[in-house]
Amino acid sequence: MVQSPAVHPEVRETARQIAEMETRGAATIADEAAAALGAQAAESDADDPEAFRTEMRTAARELHDTRPTAVSLPNALRYVLTGMEGESVAALKRSVERRVDEFRADLEDAQEQLGRIGAGRLRDGDVVMTHCHSTDALACVEAAVERGTEVEAVVKETRPRNQGHITAKRLRELGVPVTLIVDNAAHRYMDDVDHLLVGADSIAADGSVVNKIGTAGLAVSARDRGVPVMVAAQSIKLHPKTLTGGAVEIEERDDVEVITEDDRADIGEIEVANPAFDVTPPRHVDAIVTERGQFPPESVVVLMRELFGESVEEPWTE
Ligand code: RI2
């Protein structure tokens, strides 16, 4: 019988944390997944190069199969695995470790650079409305605050998991005044804000933005009120498969995020739907802010071609 290669406990634990959303947010997921591949490589006891490669692919698959929508995850795995090179296990290990370090450092630099670019869109006295919790979106506010721009925020709580609470906390740490609202109040507050500022889990080649459920309706509301829609997304959020007609899979999460079992039993027989993301069409987006500059959504494809070319490898498949 062929033994499957050992997956390092850190890989298993990281995969569990991503699946259960203890680790969440597209950039953070990518960062942690890369780190887990680093642990797999560093502590591998594979005795020949092919066994090492198989082990790395198996670990990457386990991480890949956790959540389907944020493309930063496969982009991170691809970056690490395509840089795996060498004739001996020791050389392969070194190449993976180097690649992981590079990826994680680039991620941090990209977010800082993106923040500086996004901050340029914010003026003194502006009010931003946020949805969910995005470290890329917050980087823009942080850079603005650092340069002395005074901004305020209207923060949507973002059901079902209330990730707006994390945003509110981070903004308060930055000294930004926060008004927390329930999701249903967003349109009521649209006249009071100067920007809708959101992150992204994936961006398609046509400029469509896949982000936390509720973003698409919010963007329609912002358009109706003439509020510009700004999407903060590092280039690892660009979904290379969409260059060749691939679709972004929308994650459907557990019903218990929406309703407790007791409440459900009390209501009687119902279906519950819990898609985690929706798709905002490019016509409802004003700017996609990346570390490589800001783009009208329709021209983000130019950056995608430059970064990925036309072919997309999936080096974790056997
Ligand atoms: P950063 C989150 O998804 C939100 O949808 C957020 O806008 C996006 O990831 C990007 O987050 P989830 O993991 O990479 O909470 O900007 O489902 O941190």
Side-chain angles (χ1 to χ4, degrees), residues 159-161 253-260 263 272-275:
R159 280 268 292 152
R161 296 180 72 101
R253 294 194 63 83
D254 204 304
D255 298 359
V256 295
E257 290 186 346
V258 176
I259 188 165
T260 64
D263 283 349
V272 174
N274 186 19

Side-chain angles (χ1 to χ4, degrees), residues 74-312:
N75 283 349
L77 303 175
R78 182 181 303 106
Y79 186 89
V80 174
L81 291 196
T82 56
M84 185 162 68
E85 57 190 20
E87 302 300 323
S88 65
V89 172
L92 285 163
K93 275 189 183 190
R94 276 196 304 278
S95 71
V96 169
E97 284 163 2
R98 200 168 44 239
R99 209 64 178 168
V100 168
D101 290 346
E102 247 170 48
F103 179 81
R104 301 185 75 196
D106 287 353
L107 200 63
E108 204 178 317
D109 290 350
Q111 193 166 74
E112 278 175 25
Q113 179 60 14
L114 167 160
R116 284 191 285 272
I117 294 169
R121 294 182 67 90
L122 306 179
R123 302 272 168 268
D124 223 19
D126 277 359
V127 181
V128 298
M129 182 182 283
T130 66
H131 183 59
C132 200
H133 168 248
S134 155
T135 55
D136 282 352
L138 283 176
C140 301
V141 177
E142 185 171 357
V145 169
E146 273 168 11
R147 58 176 77 152
T149 310
E150 292 197 358
V151 292
E152 292 185 25
V154 172
V155 173
K156 293 179 70 248
E157 59 185 0
T158 319
R159 280 268 292 152
R161 296 180 72 101
N162 288 329
Q163 290 140 314
H165 293 185
I166 311 170
T167 300
K169 188 165 181 199
R170 299 279 173 269
L171 286 169
R172 288 306 302 136
E173 284 162 3
L174 295 173
V176 172
V178 167
T179 303
L180 182 73
I181 60 168
V182 299
D183 296 311
N184 293 340
H187 192 72
R188 155 73 181 75
Y189 280 87
M190 209 46 97
D191 286 334
D192 300 344
V193 305
D194 302 287
H195 309 266
L196 175 61
L197 170 60
V198 297
D201 293 80
S202 278
I203 293 182
D206 70 348
S208 295
V209 172
V210 182
N211 192 46
K212 183 60 45 174
I213 189 79
T215 307
L218 199 57
V220 171
S221 170
R223 261 285 177 275
D224 180 63
R225 289 305 202 239
V227 173
V229 178
M230 167 177 174
V231 176
Q234 303 175 51
S235 58
I236 53 154
K237 314 287 179 66
L238 302 176
H239 204 304
K241 269 188 173 176
T242 61
L243 276 169
T244 48
V248 180
E249 182 183 342
I250 302 291
E251 177 182 6
E252 186 72 32
R253 294 194 63 83
D254 204 304
D255 298 359
V256 295
E257 290 186 346
V258 176
I259 188 165
T260 64
E261 284 178 10
D262 284 351
D263 283 349
R264 189 170 185 164
D266 186 48
I267 293 169
E269 186 65 27
I270 51 167
E271 292 293 323
V272 174
N274 186 19
F277 304 100
D278 61 22
V279 182
T280 303
R283 67 180 183 282
H284 292 159
V285 175
D286 288 271
I288 297 177
V289 178
T290 79
E291 77 279 13
R292 309 276 293 250
Q294 54 174 330
F295 295 81
E298 293 80 2
S299 59
V300 85
V301 65
V302 177
L303 179 60
M304 287 177 85
R305 287 233 164 79
E306 189 186 319
L307 293 174
F308 302 114
E310 292 290 347
S311 75
V312 192

